Amino acid sequence: MPAWADEPGGDRAAGLRAGGGDGFDVLEVYQRRPAAWLQKNLLGPGHATPWTARWDLSVAYWDGDYDDNGFLAVGPVFERQGLPADLRLSLGVQPTLISSHNGNGKDLGGPVQFTSHLSLAWAPATALSLGLRIQHTSNAGLYDHNPGVDIIAAEVGFAF
């Protein structure tokens, strides 16, 4: 998959997220990589932009009060570096597959979901990053039931 391939000069990040919401405790492992195709075709070729396009791959375990779920999410993330005090703003929407749509006593509709997020992190280049992430996972109306799950998580990562 060329869009996920190694790209010269691109920075990557990997880390853990932990948090909870809607009766779930969440533990997530993630990796981010440059998305040159998105950068060029969506954010514009040759245009100076403070935004950077990345691919985000996340594998998570949701430990629920009644039911547990695993999920896999991959999709685009747009980051804005260079805010005061090495802060990074991140926005994204990832298509998500969940192991069971019986989400902690409520019917989430089906296995295909979408996870949207907003995060703010202290992220100096090639160093440890610490952040806070707010995310919403729902099926965007694909199924009859669409209650969604809201999560707040702390994020610890390392850029390399």
Side-chain angles (χ1 to χ4, degrees):
M1 175 177 192
W4 188 260
D6 290 343
E7 299 168 18
D11 58 329
R12 302 174 194 169
L16 294 171
R17 297 181 187 117
D22 286 340
F24 287 103
D25 293 324
V26 176
L27 182 60
E28 185 172 338
V29 177
Y30 72 90
Q31 183 183 27
R32 287 192 176 161
R33 300 175 72 103
W37 186 89
L38 289 175
Q39 187 77 34
K40 178 182 173 187
N41 294 296
L42 192 57
L43 297 179
H47 296 278
T49 178
W51 292 92
T52 302
R54 304 208 187 282
W55 293 112
D56 184 294
L57 171 66
S58 302
V59 177
Y61 175 70
W62 293 5
D63 181 15
D65 294 335
Y66 306 105
D67 299 306
D68 301 336
N69 288 332
F71 84 63
L72 173 67
V74 63
V77 171
F78 300 97
E79 294 179 345
R80 170 97 191 248
Q81 290 282 124
L83 298 173
D86 287 324
L87 293 178
R88 177 188 69 215
L89 178 67
S90 175
L91 307 162
V93 176
Q94 291 84 29
T96 304
L97 291 175
I98 60 173
S99 61
S100 170
H101 62 84
N102 185 13
N104 211 21
K106 60 182 171 181
D107 184 358
L108 298 177
V112 177
Q113 304 283 316
F114 298 91
T115 299
S116 55
H117 81 272
L118 169 69
S119 70
L120 186 62
W122 173 73
T126 64
L128 186 68
S129 64
L130 302 171
L132 185 63
R133 175 179 163 117
I134 300 168
Q135 73 182 43
H136 174 77
T137 301
S138 67
N139 65 53
L142 292 176
Y143 309 103
D144 291 335
H145 294 17
N146 187 22
V149 175
D150 296 317
I151 302 289
I152 296 176
E155 177 177 299
V156 176
F158 189 78
F160 55 97

